[in-house]
Amino acid sequence: MAPIPKMMQAAVVHLPGGPEALKLEQRPVLKPEKGQVLIRVHAFGLNRAEMFTRQGHSPDVEFPRILGIEAAGVVAAAPGGEFPEGATVATVMGGMGRKYDGGYAEYTLVPASQVKTVDAEVGWEILGALPEMMQTAWGALFSSLRLEKGEKLLVRGGSSSVGLAAAAIASYHGAFVVSTSRSQSREKLLLDSGARDVILETGSIAAEARKRYPDGFDKVLELVGATTLADSLKTVKKGGIVCAAGITGGKWVLDEFSPSTVIPSGVYLTTYASTVEAFMETPLNGIARLVKSGAMRIPIKTFRLTDIVKAHRVMDESTAEGKIVVLID
């Protein structure tokens, strides 16, 4: 590998704001200690959590901060010997982009305990897309929802990157997937990603869902959040599960939440929170191979680090129609 430089290019937020708050700067490359891994970043995915941090909504984040809760690249240095130099790896969460500088840079320094080796031979655009998106979709489906083959799954917020990934995973594992979208023009996108049916998202779809599927859904992955959660609970059959795992609707809490009123008798409500432990358990290599082969279709839109403001603007406007990945030469 090339020698580690003293300085690197990074996208830094000094003050909360819109996409233009991201500034490209030269920052020092940190020297790793034992128990840490310095990663030469080749790709990273964009996540709405980073948009909220950029806007100033993430608690306890101190600015200036290099954003980015995930990264994929190669090991530049691991003083503790946990990984060989040049190994392809991915990392996610653990305080990245919040407690300490994250993946929006040519190098990122993270604890070795949250680094995962990747041996699947895939391009950086695929590997950069997968870590956070796939661990969220996989964990929500199989840890929280306990999805099984043959079950009917409703994905609320189906055109989000996690929604598209969830549909692809669930369909591959034999579930019947129905996805929602606010735009009828995205129907083909959702069907191509694994959905068998699409319901136009109006904020209140329970009546239409029950009209099409009178027995209700076995499982619901709720990615819109508090704005549609009560409505989603009405679409589930008795014994079914709703998992709240996203806030694409932009609202964090329910107003005047009354469990006995909102949750139907015999229906179960759970959540899913992304963690380092969940990421380490996600079968990233197997998923990467399935995406590369086309067995699971994940739309990806790529940008360069120099276009980070444009990439964030696309995320803000929800016009990507897939996972946004930033590539670094």
Side-chain angles (χ1 to χ4, degrees), residues 5 9 14-15 31 34 92 99 120 123 133 135 140 145 154 158 188 192 214 218 222 229 256 271 316-317 324 329:
Q9 190 175 49
H14 288 264
L15 294 172
K31 185 177 180 180
K34 286 188 177 181
V92 68
K99 293 181 179 179
M133 176 181 69
Q135 74 95 4
L145 286 174
L154 174 65
K188 185 177 185 302
D192 287 346
D218 298 288
E222 173 57 81
L229 180 58
E256 300 179 356
T271 63
D316 281 20
E317 297 169 353
I324 301 174
D329 295 327

Side-chain angles (χ1 to χ4, degrees), residues 147-155 167 170-179 194-198 212-213 217-219:
L147 186 70
E148 297 182 4
K149 182 178 180 179
E151 289 187 323
K152 286 187 176 66
L153 170 71
L154 174 65
V155 180
S171 178
Y172 180 80
H173 285 85
F176 183 95
V177 181
V178 178
S179 295
R196 301 280 293 278
D197 192 12
V198 177
R212 299 190 194 187
Y213 305 98
F217 292 96
D218 298 288
K219 310 288 168 63

Side-chain angles (χ1 to χ4, degrees), residues 7 27 46 76 95 99 118 123 125 162 182 196 198 226-227 257 294-295 302 316:
M7 302 294 289
R27 297 291 291 267
L46 262 56
K99 293 181 179 179
V118 181
E125 71 282 358
V162 174
R182 291 176 297 173
R196 301 280 293 278
V198 177
T227 57
F257 177 60
T302 61
D316 281 20

